[in-house]
Amino acid sequence: MTISAENSLNLIAVAKKTRLAALKLAVLSTEAKNQAIEAIAQSLESAKDEILQANVADCERATTDGIAKPLYKRLQLDEHKLRDAIAGVRDVGKLSDPVGAVQIHRELDQGLILKRVTCPLGVLGVIFEARPEAAIQIVTLAIKSGNGVIFKGGKEATRSCEAIVKAIKQGLSQTAVHPDAVQLLTTREEILELLRLDKYVDLVIPRGSNSFVRFVQENTRIPVLGHADGICHLYIDKAADLEKAIAITVDAKTNYPAACNAIETLLIHASIAAKFLPKVAEVLGKLNVELRGDERTREIVPKIATATEEDWETEYSDLILSIKVVDSLEDAIAHINNYGSKHTDAIITEDAEAAQTFLALVNAAGVYHNCSTRFADGFRYGFGAEVGISTQQMPPRGPVGLEGLVTYKYQMTGNGHIVATYTGADAKPFTFKDLG
Amino acid sequence: MTISAENSLNLIAVAKKTRLAALKLAVLSTEAKNQAIEAIAQSLESAKDEILQANVADCERATTDGIAKPLYKRLQLDEHKLRDAIAGVRDVGKLSDPVGAVQIHRELDQGLILKRVTCPLGVLGVIFEARPEAAIQIVTLAIKSGNGVIFKGGKEATRSCEAIVKAIKQGLSQTAVHPDAVQLLTTREEILELLRLDKYVDLVIPRGSNSFVRFVQENTRIPVLGHADGICHLYIDKAADLEKAIAITVDAKTNYPAACNAIETLLIHASIAAKFLPKVAEVLGKLNVELRGDERTREIVPKIATATEEDWETEYSDLILSIKVVDSLEDAIAHINNYGSKHTDAIITEDAEAAQTFLALVNAAGVYHNCSTRFADGFRYGFGAEVGISTQQMPPRGPVGLEGLVTYKYQMTGNGHIVATYTGADAKPFTFKDLG
């Protein structure tokens, strides 16, 4: 990808416009933002035919271009999907406003009051592949959290995205939110350029393949919300209830194998491997799961393929599962901390102490005991919406709801207070009184 | 700087050792960590003479090398400074434990319980110039927050740091904290290498000059806690109380000009400039503050130098102040959002609405009304300790206390719960009940 100077200047102009609109959006009341969200829902309803026609055109073009089937399914937007997306818009309207929450309210001294208050991040850069209805969701979440948004959909979905954004901007034009708060980029060259706008864009949210997310992470100085890999583990402890172990293995692998919270590797304590492995292999075999085992696994279930070093590092996103026999809880934890992607890992055991050790020592955003890794999801956590799942060490970590789209600032109000009063020999002490 | 392959391998080995020790430290009780902190204090007391002698050697060497005077002052560690640093160790012992705080405790369904619990980050990389006693503070904060720490002091302070770390490790050797949790690097080459260890180091904390911090930020993929610039503004509104305005200007500029929270630029509303400028110029002149003004400022106080574009972007860290006359609150906010470093900016006004607008629209970690920017400090905010001040947009932002050294994980406990139960046609609803 190369960028012409002209393109670059255009994008900076777009970003500045977005920032200006976002600055006004940032201070709107919850009511004003909710009115804008309802206007978006209504405008999308009115533009339904236009959006669906644009999508048909995108789909026809994609078919001509020989698009892969799963991608085609993600691209396709029927009346049902669109209705659901519009219902989703109204659901976001009902969520509580993440802006303006007072996290700290403290008297430092008489008349000197410190507050820590949540506020919007500013401008979000959102880049995703295919699924056009994702645009609807992300714009709504951005407005609810008081942020401007510059986004780039997959090139297959260009017409659909254009129709959607046109409707959204039309809806906003009658509200307190300036339509400039929402911008659509349409050329692929603009992705790299967007990633360079660290002066104008505060957070990048990429949605797409692992390699795409990694590309974004490696090509920007803007913070990135998301994760490249989801290499989740399930460890079957020696004190596991085998019935739970099988049910959870099946759920975590087969419920939705393409999801990032599906497991890729099963670790089994040596002392129960002979009992558990044949059973689980039979069940998974019936569900068409391809198994790949280490040497000790293959001694017990010899018909399966050999797992190599590469398997422990692979997110299959498919009905494939690697299996390793380990000698201890400690070995299981060491394997996970070495090969895992800090997403979600689970232990199956009836031994409370072993569970506690696992939950404490496994370094991941989610550490589970006797339940499926598939619960790692913002909606299932009760956040009402999910803007992404982060596998970084620093917060926000794990499934991130609307709170991931806000930051905070410290507001201090005094009445002529100066620091000289509180330093030196006659320093006045602070009162540090937390207020209600 | 070039790095030999051998050096690189050595450092990875050191980092792995630190991680292992940190993993054990992460799960220690508050009592065990506090015992380790007390052991450090006692060991430093016992090693007092050795540390002070090492510092004398460092100082002699620095004098021979012709070190700059302010740097020499920072390098020098006398009995008084060391006693204060050891008292600081015991103060950290008294702070509440940032680890293990339950931020979310929620029933998703009967028997399926989600908790969000704070936990240590893992391993901190700390790089600072000169001040050897900073090592004492940062090691103590790391242990209190359950983190391992690899640090590199200024090369001038090598002997002092070695003596300090020797004493710290000696103290730890009798406690539950393995001495490997604390590592000292001694060669300059190791800085770049440390910055590349994103697999082993979770957070980098640089302390030093602006250019040094910027170098660190631009040469690592590890999150950095800190800030390069502190370009703070004071805006004197048309409705300002001039007495407060002068007192706060003097405090914010002269109380400690080298501090990042000192102001660099004064913005003055045009309608009060003629009244305010001569007064403040006279007071600041007596305090040896060099003033640099824009054209409109120089029309009122003609004797001062001309401020150029460069001045608005400069952190003087000295008794220099740039001054600009603006036509409105909006112009002041626009100047700050354009030239500021998102550190701390203040408005002086008796107009509550103007204050509210300023606090809402200025994009900075700290936005103040009628008080000095010099209050931007973790101790003054009541955090008990400060690990750095962040000017990033994402949290942690502003002065960061111990909470900046921890992250969180989601712990989920079930009893065989699988996601299939909660999806599809007969999906069971979640209960989402927040628990006490």
Side-chain angles (χ1 to χ4, degrees), chain A residues 106 244 362 381 393 407 415, chain B residues 106 244 381 393 407 415:
Chain A
R106 184 173 294 161
K244 288 178 199 168
V362 167
Y381 279 12
Q393 196 74 358
T407 182
N415 186 26
Chain B
R106 182 174 295 163
K244 288 178 199 169
Y381 279 13
Q393 196 74 359
T407 181
N415 186 26

Side-chain angles (χ1 to χ4, degrees), chain A residues 70-244:
Chain A
L71 207 59
Y72 184 87
K73 270 182 91 170
R74 289 160 60 86
L75 172 61
Q76 208 175 24
L77 184 63
D78 57 21
E79 197 161 345
H80 179 73
K81 271 194 193 172
L82 186 57
R83 203 191 317 124
D84 281 357
I86 295 171
V89 170
R90 294 198 163 102
D91 285 343
V92 171
K94 289 174 208 142
L95 292 178
S96 59
D97 193 336
V99 172
V102 178
Q103 300 178 326
I104 293 176
H105 190 187
R106 184 173 294 161
E107 181 198 86
L108 305 189
D109 191 12
Q110 211 189 337
L112 187 64
I113 308 297
L114 178 71
K115 271 189 187 179
R116 186 163 94 182
V117 185
T118 59
C119 57
L121 279 171
V123 173
L124 314 177
V126 180
I127 315 173
F128 52 84
E129 300 179 326
R131 281 207 323 129
E133 73 270 29
I136 297 176
Q137 194 204 14
I138 204 74
V139 167
T140 316
L141 290 169
I143 287 172
K144 184 77 188 198
S145 56
N147 291 290
V149 58
I150 301 175
F151 76 93
K152 168 80 183 71
K155 74 169 192 306
E156 313 78 22
T158 301
R159 291 172 195 81
S160 314
C161 286
E162 279 173 346
I164 286 169
V165 169
K166 189 181 157 199
I168 288 173
K169 280 175 171 277
Q170 212 144 23
L172 290 179
S173 66
Q174 304 145 22
T175 73
V177 178
H178 196 287
D180 278 351
V182 180
Q183 306 283 352
L184 176 69
L185 307 183
T186 51
T187 74
R188 192 164 153 70
E189 292 73 40
E190 288 167 317
I191 295 182
L192 251 192
E193 190 48 32
L194 177 65
L195 295 180
R196 289 194 189 146
L197 293 184
D198 52 323
K199 209 185 156 179
Y200 303 101
V201 176
D202 301 290
L203 180 69
V204 169
I205 306 177
R207 293 270 183 93
S209 67
N210 300 6
S211 58
F212 172 71
V213 174
R214 197 167 293 116
F215 172 82
V216 169
Q217 288 171 335
E218 286 171 1
N219 285 281
T220 188
R221 299 183 49 77
I222 306 170
V224 176
L225 180 68
H227 61 281
D229 294 306
I231 303 179
C232 302
H233 298 78
L234 185 65
Y235 166 58
I236 314 296
D237 186 49
K238 64 178 170 190
D241 173 315
L242 293 195
E243 223 167 289
K244 288 178 199 168

Side-chain angles (χ1 to χ4, degrees), chain A residues 106 116 121 244 251 359 362 365 367 369-370 372 381 393 397 407-410 412 414-417 419-420, chain B residues 106 121 244 251 359-360 362 365 367 369-370 372 381 393 397 407-410 412 414-417 419-420:
Chain A
R106 184 173 294 161
R116 186 163 94 182
L121 279 171
K244 288 178 199 168
D251 189 78
L359 266 49
V362 167
V367 284
H369 172 212
N370 284 351
S372 170
Y381 279 12
Q393 196 74 358
R397 198 183 191 202
T407 182
Y408 54 72
K409 53 167 76 165
Y410 288 94
M412 180 122 67
N415 186 26
H417 291 72
V419 161
Chain B
R106 182 174 295 163
L121 279 171
K244 288 178 199 169
D251 189 78
L359 266 49
V362 166
V367 284
H369 173 212
N370 284 351
S372 171
Y381 279 13
Q393 196 74 359
R397 199 182 192 203
T407 181
Y408 53 72
K409 54 165 76 167
Y410 287 94
M412 181 123 67
N415 186 26
H417 291 72
V419 161

Side-chain angles (χ1 to χ4, degrees), chain B residues 270 273-275 277-278 281 292-307 323-325 327:
Chain B
K275 214 164 137 192
L277 259 173
R292 299 181 188 175
D294 73 339
E295 213 171 304
R296 294 166 77 184
T297 300
R298 294 182 68 243
E299 283 170 14
I300 301 169
V301 282
K303 284 184 187 164
I304 69 174
T306 304
I323 306 180
K324 187 181 184 178
V325 173
D327 284 318

Side-chain angles (χ1 to χ4, degrees), chain A residues 19 23-24 26-27 104 106 108 112 114 116 119-122 198-199 202-203 214 217-221 223 225 244 247-248 251 255 333 337-338 342 350 358-376 378-383 392-400 403-404 406-423 430 432, chain B residues 19 23-24 26-27 104 106 108 112 114 116 119-122 198-199 202-203 214 217-221 223 225 244 247-248 251 255 333 337-338 342 350 358-376 378-383 392-400 403-404 406-423 430 432:
Chain A
R19 251 201 126 64
L23 203 63
K24 286 174 190 154
V27 292
I104 293 176
R106 184 173 294 161
L108 305 189
L112 187 64
L114 178 71
R116 186 163 94 182
C119 57
L121 279 171
D198 52 323
K199 209 185 156 179
D202 301 290
L203 180 69
R214 197 167 293 116
Q217 288 171 335
E218 286 171 1
N219 285 281
T220 188
R221 299 183 49 77
L225 180 68
K244 288 178 199 168
I248 290 171
D251 189 78
N255 179 267
I333 293 169
N337 284 342
N338 189 25
K342 300 185 187 172
E350 300 300 306
F358 185 92
L359 266 49
L361 294 183
V362 167
N363 182 17
V367 284
Y368 290 6
H369 172 212
N370 284 351
C371 55
S372 170
T373 55
R374 292 269 301 124
F375 283 106
F379 291 94
R380 292 176 193 143
Y381 279 12
F383 297 162
Q392 287 180 100
Q393 196 74 358
M394 301 272 289
R397 198 183 191 202
V400 181
E403 68 171 337
V406 299
T407 182
Y408 54 72
K409 53 167 76 165
Y410 288 94
Q411 299 183 339
M412 180 122 67
T413 306
N415 186 26
H417 291 72
I418 58 175
V419 161
T421 312
Y422 305 90
T423 47
F430 288 104
F432 293 143
Chain B
R19 251 200 126 64
L23 204 62
K24 286 173 192 155
V27 293
I104 293 175
R106 182 174 295 163
L108 304 189
L112 187 64
L114 178 72
R116 186 163 95 182
C119 56
L121 279 171
D198 51 323
K199 209 185 156 180
D202 301 290
L203 180 69
R214 196 167 294 116
Q217 288 171 334
E218 286 171 2
N219 285 281
T220 188
R221 299 183 49 76
L225 179 67
K244 288 178 199 169
I248 290 172
D251 189 78
N255 180 266
I333 293 170
N337 284 342
N338 189 26
K342 299 185 187 172
E350 299 300 304
F358 184 91
L359 266 49
L361 293 183
V362 166
N363 183 17
V367 284
Y368 290 6
H369 173 212
N370 284 351
C371 54
S372 171
T373 55
R374 292 269 301 125
F375 283 106
F379 291 94
R380 292 178 192 141
Y381 279 13
F383 297 163
Q392 287 181 96
Q393 196 74 359
M394 301 273 289
R397 199 182 192 203
V400 181
E403 70 171 336
V406 299
T407 181
Y408 53 72
K409 54 165 76 167
Y410 287 94
Q411 299 183 338
M412 181 123 67
T413 306
N415 186 26
H417 291 72
I418 59 175
V419 161
T421 311
Y422 305 89
T423 47
F430 288 103
F432 292 143

